[in-house]
Amino acid sequence: MKHKCLFFLAHIFTSAISYAQYEIWETQLDVDNYTHLDRIFFLDENYGWAIGGNTIGSAGPYFFTSDGGKNWYLDPNFWDNWGTDIAFVNQYTGFIAGGNGTLLKTIDSGQSWMPIQTPATQNLIKLFFVDENNGWATLGQYSEGNILHTIDGGDNWQLEKIFTSDYSIIEEVYFANYFTGYCTGVIWDYLNNNTYNSVMNTQNGGVYWDTSFLWQNTLYEINAIFFNDPLNGWLVGSKPTSTSIYIVMNTSDGGANWTEQTLEGNFNQPPTQANCVYFADDTTGWIGTSGADGGAIYFTNNGGQSWQVQQEFPQAVYDIQMLNRDTGWAVGGDFVYHTTNGSFVTNVIENYVEKEPFIIMPNPVTNAFCIETNSGFFCENCHLEITNITGNSILQLNNISFEAITHNPIDLSNFPAGIYFVAIRYKANHQIRSFNQKIIKQ
């Protein structure tokens, strides 16, 4: 890939970025107030793009890398290619969400961009592509409940009405697979002086959309939605109060019911807003937040049963993308961050880092699974319990040895398919600790 670059930014490492002594996330790029970054997109371990401006009501140029972020470059035609979001479907074909209903498309890895005028007149805000042909774009204010949809690789777009009311807006869109998708939005009922936050879903690739859930007169600001699979999903944002309060919710039934979650831990930047959520698998996830004077990334390794601070930052964290449990990128304001050990758990106060001690394989499981450990790990006084999704215990083993935990497969062949939870309580380094993980029985 050849680029004539007007501007070059090498990766920068800053020891003052986080408040913890151990940096799980390291700074790859500092644009130093040149623009505002709030969207990150990586196609693989090498090719990535960062863009932004929507969170401050603006747009901006994009930066790109072809070596995993070791070097970042400003778009050589940056003055012409501003936008609020960027997405690529392969190494060569990508899109930028532009203004006044315009989308930019490249088929040569960004060396040139072609403007495509859609039927919309509003600014395009966020992009989501299911595959190389099928894509969606949310619109700005006064979108009248519409969303843009393409089925031919972005050459042509159609306006599709999700909400019947003209006084409504689609905020977020996410597809768990080709057929099953979700979107969130707000509906204003001026006649009855009501407002509704809504989650809509489709089971046929967007041909029809149905209401999954409604909140009346809450006016939640939903910043992101993510689904691990067609049933299990998350939404994050904030509540409208005099002092903003973050909101984190999850569903395990395809959006029919939502449960509010809490972000735990001692932190220097209490979260006022949750901006993004990403899961690498069923159990491992991250949430980016804003605080009064900065931001943080929260981490779960038990499917969201609990969240704790992984690292704090001088500015808000607006977007996270992970390639797997350990490798990923985050973006916020001036900075692009990178991790190669994203599944580490760090205690911000005591400044120690520990890897998850147990590994359950296989997961999902058909008949039996094994519990393995990281090399060099040892524990004693182990207690193991497996519960089903209703909380009923199906297996308990108390005061068993480390060898009994790690050398004996656990057979689930006589139990029905579904979701189960493995909890191990153990003593290590003179401390009582616990391990929790969700498993799926097929």
Side-chain angles (χ1 to χ4, degrees):
M1 190 191 314
K2 296 181 180 178
H3 292 271
K4 295 180 180 179
C5 299
L6 299 179
F7 186 72
F8 167 80
L9 286 173
H11 64 295
I12 302 170
F13 294 92
T14 306
S15 60
I17 292 302
S18 81
Y19 295 91
Q21 288 184 356
Y22 187 90
E23 287 191 349
I24 294 174
W25 297 82
E26 296 181 315
T27 308
Q28 271 196 339
L29 172 65
D30 180 355
V31 300
D32 195 21
N33 292 319
Y34 181 80
T35 187
H36 181 89
L37 301 174
D38 52 36
R39 297 291 284 170
I40 191 83
F41 184 91
F42 266 78
L43 189 65
D44 53 31
E45 67 274 10
N46 294 313
Y47 294 96
W49 298 262
I51 200 170
N54 181 56
T55 52
I56 58 172
S58 181
Y62 73 87
F63 294 80
F64 67 93
T65 179
S66 58
D67 56 13
K70 295 178 182 177
N71 298 287
W72 285 88
Y73 303 88
L74 178 66
D75 168 30
N77 301 306
F78 66 92
W79 194 253
D80 298 320
N81 302 325
W82 283 40
T84 57
D85 197 8
I86 192 166
F88 274 70
V89 296
N90 56 50
Q91 181 181 338
Y92 306 101
T93 306
F95 305 87
I96 293 176
N100 301 316
T102 300
L103 183 95
L104 300 176
K105 179 179 180 180
T106 181
I107 56 174
D108 55 14
S109 302
Q111 296 185 55
S112 62
W113 293 86
M114 303 170 290
I116 297 175
Q117 182 61 51
T118 72
T121 57
Q122 301 87 355
N123 295 338
L124 278 65
I125 305 299
K126 289 187 177 180
L127 304 172
F128 188 95
F129 276 80
V130 181
D131 53 35
E132 293 191 1
N133 293 315
N134 293 276
W136 303 82
T138 64
L139 301 170
Q141 291 184 340
Y142 313 113
S143 61
E144 299 177 345
N146 289 311
I147 194 170
L148 284 169
H149 183 206
T150 180
I151 58 174
D152 62 2
D155 292 331
N156 296 279
W157 294 77
Q158 297 81 39
L159 276 174
E160 298 188 1
K161 199 169 186 64
I162 308 299
F163 294 142
T164 56
S165 170
D166 287 343
Y167 302 103
S168 57
I169 183 173
I170 304 297
E171 297 174 310
E172 303 291 329
V173 62
Y174 191 93
F175 273 73
N177 55 42
Y178 180 85
F179 298 102
T180 308
Y182 297 86
C183 65
T184 64
V186 181
I187 304 168
W188 288 272
D189 178 5
Y190 290 111
L191 183 62
N192 298 300
N193 196 29
N194 289 318
T195 58
Y196 300 90
N197 284 95
S198 177
V199 178
M200 306 288 288
N201 81 89
T202 178
Q203 301 297 324
N204 50 24
V207 178
Y208 299 105
W209 292 84
D210 296 316
T211 301
S212 292
F213 201 85
L214 280 175
W215 293 274
Q216 183 175 352
N217 296 328
T218 55
L219 263 185
Y220 294 149
E221 181 180 348
I222 306 303
N223 294 324
I225 187 169
F226 185 96
F227 271 77
N228 310 36
D229 54 52
L231 294 178
N232 297 281
W234 296 81
L235 62 81
V236 299
S238 63
K239 301 177 183 179
T241 63
S242 56
T243 58
S244 294
I245 301 174
Y246 72 87
I247 185 170
V248 174
M249 289 186 173
N250 80 296
T251 179
S252 58
D253 56 11
N257 295 281
W258 293 84
T259 302
E260 192 166 345
Q261 303 289 321
T262 301
L263 302 178
E264 302 169 350
N266 297 302
F267 30 65
N268 297 299
Q269 300 292 340
T272 57
Q273 184 162 273
N275 301 313
C276 57
V277 56
Y278 197 97
F279 273 76
D281 53 39
D282 288 339
T283 60
T284 314
W286 300 260
I287 289 175
T289 67
S290 304
D293 298 303
I297 290 178
Y298 290 77
F299 174 73
T300 180
N301 53 20
N302 55 22
Q305 294 180 64
S306 61
W307 295 86
Q308 69 177 76
V309 179
Q310 189 175 59
Q311 189 166 318
E312 295 189 282
F313 304 88
Q315 296 181 10
V317 177
Y318 290 112
D319 199 14
I320 298 171
Q321 184 186 352
M322 304 295 295
L323 298 183
N324 51 52
R325 285 168 55 96
D326 291 316
T327 304
W329 290 263
V331 68
D334 289 342
F335 302 103
V336 173
Y337 306 104
H338 177 52
T339 182
T340 55
N341 52 10
S343 62
F344 268 54
V345 180
T346 177
N347 187 301
V348 175
I349 300 302
E350 297 180 6
N351 294 314
Y352 70 84
V353 179
E354 61 182 10
K355 192 76 171 179
E356 273 300 300
F358 299 102
I359 302 169
I360 294 179
M361 298 180 65
N363 187 14
V365 56
T366 303
N367 294 311
F369 67 89
C370 296
I371 300 176
E372 302 179 359
T373 64
N374 295 307
S375 60
F377 176 78
F378 179 80
C379 65
E380 54 188 349
N381 297 340
C382 301
H383 304 263
L384 182 145
E385 183 178 20
I386 300 178
T387 57
N388 59 23
I389 197 168
T390 63
N392 295 321
S393 178
I394 66 169
L395 175 66
Q396 279 191 353
L397 300 173
N398 295 319
N399 295 316
I400 58 176
S401 66
F402 174 77
E403 288 76 15
I405 287 278
T406 58
H407 289 75
N408 297 298
I410 297 175
D411 188 8
L412 295 182
S413 59
N414 293 326
F415 294 96
I419 296 174
Y420 296 84
F421 298 95
V422 176
I424 302 174
R425 190 167 176 264
Y426 61 96
K427 184 177 182 181
N429 297 325
H430 307 291
Q431 292 184 344
I432 301 299
R433 300 183 181 181
S434 61
F435 167 86
N436 298 276
Q437 184 165 335
K438 179 175 72 174
I439 58 174
I440 298 175
K441 168 67 165 54
Q442 295 180 330

